[in-house]
């Protein structure tokens, strides 16, 4: 079979090449050993043979995985029958687990962090000295889904107002908004008739965050969606760990009033994972559920009260409102200013040194 | 296997840098030979308060009696000891009466090094409204208010002064800002001797308004050449003896040039802009020599060149203090300092020495011990004078001493045995002059 021969030939051919080079005996032996251990299908130059070798490798891996899974399940079952603890499951390696250690992560006992928080631009809103008032506008071009998105944003964020853009300069808009006591300005930027960026500026002098917007799903496109009420929503901000993330998290927090209406059962979530911020808007309801048997692997058991009689309290979610993903592109120190702008953080390609490095 | 490209940061030579941030904290970062050249924050001075945000800082880092002046946002100027952080005196910028307007921040500050006498120093301050004042301040705490002779004048009629620099010879100063063309003033007579002219309108007839964000003199010998960076990402070289328009004008990236620093050779400058790009530029030809790549993502607020080592420090809004090698443009180290940093200065009198146990002392250094004893009572007197005899050296020698330990020792009235061990030739010179 051609493929098999090629695979076994390749290391030997590499050895021959070494001999031809006239390398010393030690080096040749060492390389021989190395080559035999570290063979990859990508070393084969011929595409058909290479793809066949690769497919074979994958198939072998799949069989091994299936075998280990069967063995694990058998061990679990046996342990359960014997009444012992099932053997410890190993923790899977995920990208979040192997994230590069970041020294800018906020530590819980950092006094400087608290002072910096008190001193930053959002503290007056977060201390409830000012009520958030949002001004939403668009860029100068029209878009197909833009108006629908904005009308949904107006229902999500309480005390938000929409003004048409016209031909006003953004700096003039900032001045006007500061005069009218707005706390934040949001500009929905459109590209190719689709909203694709969000510019959030804290007023009067606050930082400007430029987010890339993607995966926008409007309410009408969601199956079984709910309709949001006018209650002040609860806010969930997940995983904003670094200093930069903390600052962005506080900026998002300053968009919403700080007195959530728990009776309204409405929650807005900004979940940060790998520098992408996922926005979700749900209404939830707690229900007691008659469960016939205890399910040790039940994920909904977080609210389980009375397991012995088989009653469980679970929370059901109904999604309402838009669903989108944001990614921070830059954080400017003052209000939006392309020419005279001073950046606190701007993404540069040279910063992506590793696939495990995240900034928020 | 995660795919990573990690670059090992080589360590930096022993040095000491002071950084000032937006909360008014002063952090001292030292890099010692024994810690592998990785800088560590050794001290943190000040209370964190955003009204005390540091706007400008200047250091006079001579071997004996160094002082540090810090200008804060609430209008106070503090003069302190850069080695221990003790504040000698704190003066209010608008102490001469007129009640201060809220938005008249200090734009520039400079300690005069040449005309320093023990117990007082002279400062040049300039505010954004253009009020420049030259005053002498008594350092020793006295009962009376310490505004000695002060000489104020107005630099500009309209506009906002954003950058102020004093020449090495301390006879001239330049000021520039938003709507303020770069002016050169003679400090002895307080007169403006030269003002720049804006470059002509470009081919599209567009006139960019004047907005200088940073400026520096090129060498300490010639006050006529200087470099200014503008808000429209231009670096302009001026020569007052040639013409009023810029001699060379150079465009660098797309954000304002927030800081420029000159090199000792007199023609290389380092420019840092609002999006964190740092580059070295040759002013003779106007060519970009190269960029400093080191993942700096925040605006660079201040660049400092070490007087002896080929190292520059840059700090900015991304809260990192980065040290770079000048020749290879390589990042030597980056230290995270948690707040937005506004200024950085080097303390060039830092020497990486450690205390040696008494039995390890060399026989030929015993005569030094005797002289040290005589010095000791003198040292007790005043905290700045404890630094007598310590000199910065560019290369390490066999005997080492740690500064912190020495201070502790002196405060505890240590005995003769635990004297400081020095390198002989330096000590001889120093001790003679100090007497």
């Amino acid at each position: 079979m051609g493929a098999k021969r090629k695979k076994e030939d390749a290391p030997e051919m590499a050895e021959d090449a070494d001999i031809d080079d006239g390398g010393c005996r030690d080096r040749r032996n060492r390389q021989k050993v190395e080559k035999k251990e570290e063979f990859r299908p990508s070393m084969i130059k011929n595409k058909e043979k290479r793809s066949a070798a690769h497919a074979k490798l994958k198939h072998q891996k799949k069989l091994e995985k299936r075998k280990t899974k069967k063995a694990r399940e058998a061990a679990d079952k046996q342990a359960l029958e014997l009444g012992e603890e099932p053997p410890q499951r190993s923790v899977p390696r995920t990208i979040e687990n192997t994230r590069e250690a970041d020294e800018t992560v906020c530590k819980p006992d950092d006094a400087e962090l608290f002072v910096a928080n008190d001193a930053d631009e959002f503290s007056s809103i977060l201390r409830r000295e000012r009520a958030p008032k949002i001004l939403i506008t668009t860029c100068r071009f029209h878009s197909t889904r833009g108006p629908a998105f904005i009308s949904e944003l107006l229902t999500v964020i309480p005390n938000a107002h929409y003004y048409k853009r016209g031909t006003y300069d953004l700096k003039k808009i900032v001045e006007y908004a500061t005069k009218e006591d707005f706390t934040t300005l949001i500009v929905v930027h459109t590209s190719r008739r689709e909203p694709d960026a969000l510019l959030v500026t804290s007023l009067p002098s606050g930082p400007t965050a430029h987010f890339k917007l993607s995966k926008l799903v409007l309410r009408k496109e969601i199956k079984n969606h709910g309709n949001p009420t006018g209650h002040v929503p609860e806010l969930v901000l997940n995983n904003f760990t670094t200093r930069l993330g903390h600052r962005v998290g506080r900026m998002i927090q300053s968009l919403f009033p700080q007195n959530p209406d728990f009776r309204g059962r409405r929650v807005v979530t900004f979940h940060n994972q790998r520098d992408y911020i996922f926005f979700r808007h749900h209404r939830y309801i707690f229900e007691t559920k008659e469960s016939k048997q205890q399910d040790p692997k039940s994920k909904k058991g977080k609210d389980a009260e009375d397991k012995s009689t088989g009653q469980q309290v679970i929370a059901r979610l109904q999604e309402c409102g838009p669903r989108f993903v944001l990614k921070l592109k830059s954080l400017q120190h003052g209000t939006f200013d392309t020419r005279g702008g001073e950046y606190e953080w701007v993404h540069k390609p040279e910063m992506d040194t590793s696939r495990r490095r995240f900034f928020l | 296997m995660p795919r990573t490209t990690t670059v090992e940061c080589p360590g930096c030579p022993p040095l000491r840098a002071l950084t000032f941030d937006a909360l008014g904290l002063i952090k001292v970062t030292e890099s010692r030979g024994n810690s592998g050249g990785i800088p560590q924050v050794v001290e943190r001075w000040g209370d964190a308060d955003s009204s005390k945000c540091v706007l400008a800082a200047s250091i006079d880092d001579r071997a004996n009696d160094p002082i540090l002046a810090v200008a804060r946002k609430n209008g106070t100027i503090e003069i302190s000891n850069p080695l221990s952080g003790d504040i000698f005196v704190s003066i209010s910028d608008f102490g001469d009466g007129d009640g201060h307007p809220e938005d008249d921040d200090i734009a520039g500050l400079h300690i005069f090094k040449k005309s320093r006498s023990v117990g007082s120093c002279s400062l040049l301050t300039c505010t954004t409204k253009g009020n420049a004042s030259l005053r002498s301040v008594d350092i020793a705490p006295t009962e009376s208010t310490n505004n000695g002779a002060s000489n104020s004048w107005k630099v500009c009629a309209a506009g906002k002064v954003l950058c102020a620099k004093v020449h090495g010879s301390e006879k001239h100063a330049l000021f520039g800002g938003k709507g303020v063309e770069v002016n050169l003033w003679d400090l002895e007579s307080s007169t403006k001797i030269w003002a720049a002219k804006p470059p002509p309108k470009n081919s599209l007839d567009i006139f960019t308004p004047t907005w200088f964000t940073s400026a520096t003199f090129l060498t300490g010998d010639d006050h006529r050449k200087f470099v200014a960076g503008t808000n429209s990402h231009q670096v302009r070289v001026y020569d007052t003896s040639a013409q009023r328009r810029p001699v060379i004008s150079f465009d660098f990236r797309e954000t304002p040039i927030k800081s420029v620093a000159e090199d000792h050779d007199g023609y290389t400058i380092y420019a840092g802009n609002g999006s964190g790009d740092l580059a070295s530029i040759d002013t003779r030809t106007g060519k970009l020599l190269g960029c400093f790549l080191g993942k700096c993502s925040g605006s660079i607020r201040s660049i400092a060149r070490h007087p002896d080592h080929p190292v520059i420090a840059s700090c900015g809004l991304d809260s990192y203090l980065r040290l770079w090698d000048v020749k290879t443009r390589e990042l030597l180290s980056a230290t995270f300092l948690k707040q937005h940093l506004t200024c950085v200065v080097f303390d060039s009198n830092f020497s990486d020495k450690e205390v040696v146990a008494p039995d390890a002392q060399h026989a030929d250094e015993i005569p030094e011990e005797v002289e040290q004893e005589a010095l000791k009572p003198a040292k007790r007197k005043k905290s700045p004078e404890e630094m007598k005899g310590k000199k910065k050296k560019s290369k390490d020698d066999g005997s080492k001493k740690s500064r912190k330990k020495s201070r502790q020792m002196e405060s505890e009235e240590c005995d003769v045995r635990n004297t400081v061990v020095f390198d002989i030739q330096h000590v001889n010179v120093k001790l003679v002059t100090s007497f």
Side-chain angles (χ1 to χ4, degrees), chain B residues 9-324:
Chain B
C9 269
C12 30
L15 44 78
R16 179 178 160 104
L18 288 94
T19 51
F20 308 88
D21 62 24
L23 284 189
L25 299 169
I26 305 176
K27 292 188 177 157
V28 182
T29 315
E30 280 179 10
S31 126
R32 291 175 178 274
N34 54 351
S35 65
I38 302 181
Q40 275 144 13
V41 180
V42 295
E43 276 166 77
R44 200 190 91 163
W45 301 325
D47 309 310
D49 187 0
S50 66
S51 68
K52 289 197 189 164
C53 162
V54 173
L55 296 172
S58 172
I59 189 171
D60 178 14
D61 52 1
R62 55 178 68 183
N64 50 335
D65 198 11
I67 58 168
L68 171 72
V70 169
R72 294 184 188 267
K73 198 174 174 111
N74 52 5
T76 54
I77 300 175
E78 285 170 8
I79 310 219
S80 52
N81 181 352
L83 299 159
S84 61
D86 306 323
I87 300 179
F88 295 140
V89 82
S90 163
I91 54 182
S92 173
D93 186 34
F94 31 88
D96 356 334
D98 304 25
H100 99 112
E102 288 290 315
D103 45 1
D104 199 12
D105 296 330
I106 296 174
L109 173 69
H110 183 84
I111 299 179
F112 285 91
K113 302 185 167 96
K114 302 220 156 83
S115 55
R116 267 283 302 282
S117 50
V118 178
S120 79
C121 65
S122 23
L123 298 175
L124 171 72
T125 57
C126 182
T127 64
T128 50
K129 290 230 165 125
N131 300 318
S133 83
L134 188 60
R135 64 185 97 190
S136 79
V137 176
D138 293 326
I139 302 180
T142 53
E143 295 297 315
S144 58
T145 50
N146 33 29
N147 250 350
S150 113
N151 183 6
S152 328
W153 68 96
K154 205 136 165 68
V155 164
C156 66
K160 221 166 97 160
V161 173
L162 292 174
C163 43
K165 261 289 164 67
V166 173
H167 186 233
S169 68
E170 298 184 346
K171 297 205 182 81
H172 300 91
L174 68 87
F175 303 93
K178 180 174 180 184
V180 177
E181 280 287 349
V182 190
N183 318 335
L184 192 61
W185 288 70
D186 183 347
L187 290 174
E188 277 147 16
S189 51
S190 300
T191 49
K192 176 165 25 176
I193 54 177
W194 185 88
K197 209 170 161 190
K201 286 193 214 175
N202 64 4
S203 55
L204 298 168
D205 257 358
I206 297 176
F207 174 67
T208 47
T210 323
W211 193 336
F212 289 97
T213 47
S214 54
T216 182
F217 283 96
L218 271 184
T219 63
D221 310 322
D222 193 359
H223 67 264
R224 296 172 303 184
K225 298 205 184 67
F226 48 85
V227 172
T230 66
N231 196 47
S232 27
H233 48 86
Q234 261 192 352
V235 176
R236 295 186 186 161
V237 181
Y238 288 90
D239 189 348
T240 58
S241 53
Q243 58 182 23
R244 287 180 64 197
R245 293 227 160 104
V247 170
I248 299 183
S249 192
F250 174 74
D251 251 336
F252 177 57
R253 304 270 167 101
E254 288 147 8
T255 43
I257 312 288
K258 280 293 182 183
S259 63
V260 274
E262 77 280 9
D263 197 58
H264 300 320
D265 53 17
Y267 51 82
T268 319
I269 54 160
Y270 307 103
N273 73 354
S275 44
D277 306 315
L278 184 60
S280 67
I281 299 166
D282 185 341
T283 50
R284 298 173 297 190
T285 56
K287 247 175 45 155
L288 178 77
L289 292 174
C291 283
F292 290 71
L293 296 174
K295 307 178 212 163
C296 180
S297 49
S299 153
I300 296 176
R301 281 290 181 86
S302 162
I303 307 176
R305 166 83 163 92
H306 197 276
D308 305 292
H309 297 303
V311 166
I312 54 175
S314 76
C315 72
L317 293 184
D318 61 344
S319 323
Y320 271 89
L321 168 69
R322 289 187 166 86
L323 294 158
W324 311 83

Side-chain angles (χ1 to χ4, degrees), chain A residues 113-180:
Chain A
L113 176 64
F114 300 135
V115 181
N117 279 350
D118 288 334
D120 78 2
E121 300 88 345
F122 322 114
S123 64
S124 60
I125 304 175
L126 297 182
R127 281 194 297 239
R128 306 198 196 179
E129 286 160 19
R130 283 163 75 200
K133 191 173 168 198
I134 321 292
L135 174 62
I136 306 185
T137 183
T138 63
C139 72
R140 289 199 178 105
F141 298 103
H142 291 301
S143 70
T144 318
R145 302 215 292 169
F149 175 55
I150 290 179
S151 60
E152 293 189 7
L153 268 188
L154 291 173
T155 59
V156 172
I157 308 177
N159 204 8
H161 306 268
Y162 169 63
Y163 285 72
K164 283 203 285 196
R165 173 67 184 265
T167 50
Y168 298 114
D169 217 7
L170 210 53
K171 295 198 183 172
K172 292 269 161 48
I173 297 182
V174 165
E175 269 179 42
Y176 170 76
T178 333
K179 208 161 42 107
E180 299 283 322

Side-chain angles (χ1 to χ4, degrees), chain A residues 93 98 100 102-105 110-113 115-116 119 243 247 333 337-348 350-357, chain B residues 1-5 23 25 27 44 48 50 231 254-256 258 274-277 293-299 301 317-318 320 334 336-340:
Chain A
R93 174 182 71 87
T98 48
E100 228 178 61
D102 201 343
E103 53 181 349
T104 60
V105 165
D110 198 358
E112 276 192 47
L113 176 64
V115 181
R243 286 296 291 256
R247 199 160 153 80
H333 187 67
D337 193 346
T338 39
R339 290 188 15 231
E342 211 188 344
Y343 290 90
E344 283 183 26
W345 186 85
V346 62
H347 177 264
K348 291 186 184 178
E350 59 173 0
M351 296 198 294
D352 293 333
T353 53
S354 141
R355 291 175 63 129
R356 300 293 188 272
R357 183 169 192 220
Chain B
M1 186 61 192
R3 262 169 259 175
T4 55
T5 53
L23 284 189
L25 299 169
K27 292 188 177 157
R44 200 190 91 163
S50 66
N231 196 47
E254 288 147 8
T255 43
K258 280 293 182 183
S275 44
D277 306 315
L293 296 174
K295 307 178 212 163
C296 180
S297 49
S299 153
R301 281 290 181 86
L317 293 184
D318 61 344
Y320 271 89
F336 180 59
L337 291 170
K338 299 186 203 160
Q339 309 297 342
H340 293 327

